[in-house]
Amino acid sequence: MDCIFCKIAGKEISSSLIYEDENVVAFNDLNPQAPVHFLVIPKKHYSSLNEIDSKEVFAQIFSVIPEITKKLGIKEYRTVVNTGASAGQTVFHIHVHVMSGRNFTWPAG
Ligand code: 5GP
Ligand code: ZN
């Protein structure tokens, strides 16, 4: 399958990896929208949040976020999951954005 995030997870394409375990990788966003902006993805391909078929996958993705932010010394951050093109999803492999280092407005644009 021609999926850029599968290739990043499989190390076929290099990225700035900041975390890896058996199920999940996190890497810096290529086009950061904040001083800290990384993405957390499951290694297994799911095209969006709608496709995830197990609660374990949610736990695997979300439980590493406070682990990573703690290591980075970050206490406040925004997490975003865009689902579908109209919501801003451009890469169709589920990913959680984690952004920090500036003030964020609400509602998101
Ligand atoms: P989306 O718009 O789907 O929520 O977010 C996709 C994100 O992936 C964007 O923030 C974009 O900058 C990032 N991105 C797209 N291609 C690559 C890539 O090849 N490497 C990395 N590190 N990030 C990417
Ligand atoms: Zn994929």
Side-chain angles (χ1 to χ4, degrees):
M1 188 195 310
D2 197 29
C3 169
I4 194 136
F5 285 1
C6 281
K7 288 179 181 164
I8 286 175
K11 315 272 173 58
E12 284 174 58
I13 297 181
S14 68
S15 72
S16 163
L17 271 196
I18 60 173
Y19 176 90
E20 178 168 23
D21 66 25
E22 202 185 333
N23 304 302
V24 167
V25 293
F27 52 95
N28 286 315
D29 196 291
L30 199 58
N31 181 24
Q33 301 301 312
V36 174
H37 185 177
F38 63 87
L39 305 172
V40 184
I41 67 168
K43 288 183 173 176
K44 186 174 171 196
H45 182 90
Y46 297 94
S47 58
S48 81
L49 196 60
N50 292 332
E51 306 306 318
I52 293 185
D53 52 6
S54 114
K55 288 185 180 173
E56 272 199 321
V57 178
F58 289 105
Q60 287 161 359
I61 300 169
F62 280 95
S63 64
V64 302
I65 294 173
E67 249 182 75
I68 297 169
T69 52
K70 207 170 279 175
K71 273 189 198 143
L72 295 174
I74 293 166
K75 292 206 173 93
E76 299 189 354
Y77 51 88
R78 176 163 291 180
T79 48
V80 173
V81 181
N82 297 321
T83 304
S86 72
Q89 187 175 7
T90 59
V91 176
F92 287 81
H93 179 131
I94 169 78
H95 50 281
V96 181
H97 295 259
V98 182
M99 291 171 279
S100 186
R102 67 170 171 86
N103 291 321
F104 296 92
T105 56
W106 190 257

